[in-house]
Amino acid sequence: MLELIDLIERSNATIHADLRAWFGEYPVAASWSVVSDFSVGDTGKQNDAYSFVIILKHDTDENIASYIAATSPSDLKASRTPPKGLLDYLCCPVTFSLSFIVSRESASLRVAITQEAMSSLVASLREIVAEWATAEPPNAEYYGQLGRRLRMLESELAQKQLSLNLLRRIFLVASFAAVVLGMLNDAKSPINIRWISDRDAMFDRHEGVAFDLAWLLFQIMRRRRGGLIDLRHPQIAFATPGMDGKTEYAEFVRMPDFLAGTLADIKLPQLMFTHRKFPTIFNRVLVNSPNNAVVELLADEERVTSRRLRFGNRLSEAVATARKARAT
């Protein structure tokens, strides 16, 4: 997975620059949320899509939720016409999104994310966690629990009969989240980041081990870059709807829901959709957007490729850009 993250990072240089520029006026050491939703495993769609929306803490959760509820009362499936208020929010100065799409033909990148590769990574991560537990006695209990969840995952990966598709998606979402967390950390040095994700089978597995994998990959990435690292920051909290028994986050999750649903439906390079609501979202949020980026990952029998997709003003420009990106 570290190789996959490195591959994505190499194709992400312009996205890093765009995020820095978009949030440039805001001070470092602020608080942020990363909200995610996914459209995966739908045989009627063209792609699996993983969308993350970065939001500066610019107001209370209650006020943000109230605005989204008032302007966008339904999720994508229940909306016949995309709500203008939510699309405006996705284009406003306090948000930036990064979405990853994997064509169904690439089969969750199974050429690279094999059972053996996942098992090897988990074994390495267990060793790293054990080293950190020894080096950081005050955090030994936390690392102990983390190690226990990794052992559960390792045991599953050792079985002959297992759900490889689900496991691949767990490792993919953890890798994508680590990239997003790393970008935000590099650009704004946050005090804390709250990652809110819609409830999904990926996060039910082994007491939310997907969160653990993302956190570990993020920490490993920042150590590999070198330089001074403040282990106290950012503080990263994870949440899913209902996880604390009361907070549903429905309004927050609605933002990546509209992105992921649209990108799962899009047929590339033709830019065709199955419903008239999708072109409206696409044109408003993704065409010529300075703050809504898309990365496409493709796999053939030998390798995985990663590239940023840009969409121009006119349909013909967007098609040409997508074709050029795929041919790179």
Side-chain angles (χ1 to χ4, degrees):
M1 302 311 300
L2 293 173
E3 291 82 0
L4 178 65
I5 291 173
D6 287 339
L7 174 67
I8 296 170
E9 290 281 82
R10 289 196 294 272
S11 65
N12 266 8
T14 58
I15 300 177
H16 279 265
D18 288 349
L19 186 147
R20 288 180 183 274
W22 190 253
F23 290 142
E25 67 181 85
Y26 302 122
V28 298
S31 296
W32 301 78
S33 292
V34 173
V35 189
S36 61
D37 194 20
F38 321 110
S39 178
V40 297
D42 187 338
T43 57
K45 297 298 183 181
Q46 296 291 323
N47 314 292
D48 285 342
Y50 303 78
S51 293
F52 298 80
V53 179
I54 300 170
I55 308 170
L56 173 69
K57 184 172 178 55
H58 61 285
D59 205 336
T60 65
D61 284 358
E62 292 76 12
N63 286 344
I64 294 172
S66 294
Y67 169 80
I68 297 175
T71 60
S72 316
S74 303
D75 63 12
L76 180 63
K77 288 182 179 179
S79 300
R80 296 182 60 84
T81 302
K84 182 178 182 299
L86 185 138
L87 302 187
D88 288 345
Y89 204 177
L90 285 168
C91 298
C92 78
V94 295
T95 69
F96 189 101
S97 78
L98 178 54
S99 298
F100 302 87
I101 57 175
V102 181
S103 73
R104 292 195 56 78
E105 294 178 356
S106 296
S108 295
L109 309 184
R110 65 184 178 188
V111 66
I113 309 176
T114 63
Q115 183 173 352
E116 294 75 15
M118 290 185 283
S119 297
S120 177
L121 175 63
V122 174
S124 297
L125 292 177
R126 285 189 58 201
E127 292 179 1
I128 291 171
V129 168
E131 291 173 2
W132 290 355
T134 301
E136 304 170 34
N139 298 321
E141 182 178 355
Y142 169 76
Y143 287 128
Q145 292 300 314
L146 197 162
R148 180 182 60 82
R149 293 189 290 271
L150 289 175
R151 287 195 299 274
M152 293 165 61
L153 178 58
E154 188 175 45
S155 296
E156 180 179 8
L157 284 164
Q159 299 173 13
K160 292 183 178 180
Q161 300 294 326
L162 68 166
S163 178
L164 275 176
N165 282 336
L166 176 59
L167 289 167
R168 287 190 184 101
R169 289 168 186 153
I170 289 173
F171 279 78
L172 275 176
V173 77
S175 299
F176 296 153
V179 169
V180 175
L181 294 172
M183 286 176 55
L184 179 56
N185 186 60
D186 291 346
K188 303 308 299 183
S189 300
I191 290 179
N192 53 66
I193 304 172
R194 176 182 53 169
W195 176 18
I196 304 167
S197 188
D198 197 13
R199 192 68 180 266
D200 188 281
M202 290 181 283
F203 296 101
D204 290 335
R205 207 67 157 198
H206 304 310
E207 303 174 16
V209 75
F211 288 132
D212 296 320
L213 291 172
W215 183 84
L216 282 167
L217 292 170
F218 163 69
Q219 297 295 350
I220 292 170
M221 284 167 55
R222 68 194 298 222
R223 284 165 170 78
R224 288 172 64 187
R225 292 191 183 102
L228 182 64
I229 296 175
D230 184 352
L231 293 177
R232 299 168 300 173
H233 299 128
Q235 294 291 316
I236 300 179
F238 307 112
T240 58
M243 191 167 120
D244 63 357
K246 58 181 180 180
T247 312
E248 293 299 325
Y249 299 110
E251 294 81 11
F252 282 83
V253 171
R254 208 159 288 160
M255 300 174 71
D257 168 59
F258 273 74
L259 289 169
T262 300
L263 290 168
D265 191 77
I266 192 171
K267 184 176 182 179
L268 295 171
Q270 298 88 348
L271 296 185
M272 296 173 62
F273 300 92
T274 64
H275 193 281
R276 62 185 180 183
K277 64 186 172 184
F278 294 121
T280 301
I281 301 168
F282 174 78
N283 288 323
R284 174 68 180 94
V285 178
L286 295 171
V287 171
N288 256 8
S289 175
N291 72 312
N292 293 282
V294 180
V295 170
E296 182 187 36
L297 291 104
L298 296 170
D300 57 25
E301 294 181 357
E302 297 180 353
R303 62 174 185 158
V304 175
T305 58
S306 172
R307 53 189 60 86
R308 180 180 186 178
L309 296 183
R310 294 179 182 269
F311 305 103
N313 278 327
R314 296 188 301 274
L315 182 61
S316 59
E317 292 176 350
V319 171
T321 303
R323 283 175 177 163
K324 181 178 180 182
R326 289 171 66 91
T328 300

